Amino acid sequence: MTRVMHKNDINFTGKIVWITGASSGIGEALAELLAGKKAKLILTARRADVLATLAARLDTAVKTLPADLYEADFKALTTAALNAFGNIDIVIHAAGVGQRSLAAVTPLQVYRQLMEINFFAPVAITGQLLPLCRAHMVVIGSMSGLMGFPGRSGYAASKHALKGYFETLQVEQDVPVTIVSPGRVQTNLSLSAITASGEAHGVMDEAQLKGIPVMECATRILKGVARQKKHVIIARKEQYLYWLHWWWPRLYYKIAKKYSFVRDK
Ligand SMILES: NC(=O)c1ccc[n+]([C@@H]2O[C@H](COP(=O)([O-])OP(=O)(O)OC[C@H]3O[C@@H](n4cnc5c(N)ncnc54)[C@H](OP(=O)(O)O)[C@@H]3O)[C@@H](O)[C@H]2O)c1
């Protein structure tokens, strides 16, 4: 069914959109959809070659801005992003890294890495931009940012922190912020997820493969952003677990404990 456009909906044509995590998955799908709407794009991720190939494929104005958000110079990065087209209308914080390790065996360094990429990077970018422009912040959180999940202690912590920061921004300032909480989406997230050794998981989890198709997720994200929604949940079964977490906590704990990230393989 075609959704009727609301008169206050954002029209993405000509909007300058900075997407982090644009080389893959949700960020890449958003870049493709926004290029179709003739937004002007600034694309960030570590893999410069992948970004360049994507940029060449997109039929719109694109600038690539490769960076490692684990250890970026955020002042220089945001200045370069602002200079790319002279302003920024929307920032989509999609860069992120997953986790596959139980809390009991996870060293602090793994938590630091997850927090640097998933939490401190979006906060640093936002902090740099707030005094300079009134960009709409779109944050890709997670259902794990709304409840705990086995094997995701650091990931869940980083996404809870992200929600805490951006929800506070929503009540502090007149800056549009959309917090997106997806359940499982068909992307490479499980392949690059960090394990207790700090190495990549390197396995495409079966559950990840059964997730929401990435284009469907990206389409729903853009609908939420166009409508300037404060929160968008995009999930299948996970959202029932979330509601149980509030309304029937004993059942949430019973079900969530049965999930094993080992069994996910
Ligand atoms: N897929 C899911 O089931 C799911 C569910 C809920 C939330 N999410 C969230 O959605 C976002 C996008 O993930 P995805 O599912 O699309 O996974 P993905 O396909 O693995 O994409 C992750 C993106 O983040 C970038 N990235 C990772 N580390 C980076 C770093 N140090 N510096 C700069 N960029 C970095 C990657 O690019 P490079 O490797 O080129 O740097 C890639 O573009 C993440 O925040 C994730 O937590 C995903």
Side-chain angles (χ1 to χ4, degrees):
M1 197 172 65
T2 318
R3 189 181 141 271
V4 179
M5 183 119 170
H6 191 269
K7 69 175 165 49
N8 293 327
D9 277 7
I10 294 176
N11 178 353
F12 293 108
T13 307
K15 289 278 185 294
I16 301 165
V17 186
W18 183 13
I19 306 174
T20 72
S23 64
S24 163
I26 296 173
E28 180 186 10
L30 286 165
E32 286 176 2
L33 289 179
L34 284 163
K37 295 177 189 299
K38 295 284 180 241
K40 296 177 184 171
L41 302 177
I42 306 157
L43 307 180
T44 290
R46 284 167 303 182
R47 290 169 295 168
D49 54 333
V50 180
L51 291 180
T53 307
L54 172 64
R57 199 171 80 220
L58 300 177
D59 184 20
T60 192
V62 184
K63 299 262 168 83
T64 62
L65 194 53
D68 184 347
L69 298 180
Y70 179 64
E71 49 185 8
D73 174 343
F74 289 101
K75 189 166 187 207
L77 185 68
T78 47
T79 303
L82 269 170
N83 288 341
F85 293 108
N87 190 22
I88 297 176
D89 296 302
I90 301 170
V91 184
I92 303 180
H93 299 279
V97 62
Q99 179 195 7
R100 296 293 184 275
S101 63
L102 294 173
V105 296
T106 303
L108 193 57
Q109 179 49 32
V110 167
Y111 289 108
R112 291 198 196 281
Q113 201 171 336
L114 288 159
M115 291 302 288
E116 287 293 345
I117 300 164
N118 294 354
F119 176 67
F120 286 116
V123 168
I125 289 171
T126 304
Q128 289 292 332
L129 286 177
L130 278 178
L132 302 175
C133 70
R134 196 181 171 277
H136 184 144
M137 295 290 161
V138 181
V139 194
I140 313 300
S142 169
M143 289 304 286
S144 297
L146 306 177
M147 61 185 168
F149 200 79
R152 313 285 199 276
S153 52
Y155 181 75
S158 68
K159 296 294 186 178
H160 273 75
L162 205 58
K163 174 176 176 280
Y165 175 88
F166 281 98
E167 202 168 61
T168 301
L169 204 57
Q170 285 172 333
V171 293
E172 264 183 13
Q173 298 218 11
D174 186 24
V175 176
V177 175
T178 300
I179 301 168
V180 184
S181 302
R184 287 190 177 101
V185 184
Q186 290 170 20
T187 70
N188 290 334
L189 193 69
S190 82
L191 286 174
S192 55
I194 311 177
T195 59
S197 68
E199 300 293 309
H201 182 48
V203 175
M204 176 51 81
D205 291 346
E206 225 177 283
Q208 194 93 56
L209 276 177
K210 289 183 189 152
I212 295 167
V214 68
M215 268 301 166
E216 180 188 332
C217 177
T219 303
R220 288 169 65 182
I221 290 173
L222 286 193
K223 275 185 188 169
V225 176
R227 290 208 146 184
Q228 308 195 50
K229 295 264 189 207
K230 288 194 166 15
H231 289 271
V232 180
I233 288 180
I234 303 169
R236 290 180 176 160
K237 285 195 289 196
E238 307 90 333
Q239 65 182 302
Y240 301 117
L241 197 60
Y242 171 59
W243 297 121
L244 284 178
H245 158 274
W246 283 111
W247 301 109
W248 199 352
R250 279 176 58 182
L251 191 55
Y252 154 73
Y253 283 107
K254 204 171 162 189
I255 295 171
K257 274 182 183 168
K258 279 192 183 163
Y259 277 98
S260 160
F261 82 93
V262 179
R263 213 189 53 200
D264 274 354
K265 287 179 186 172

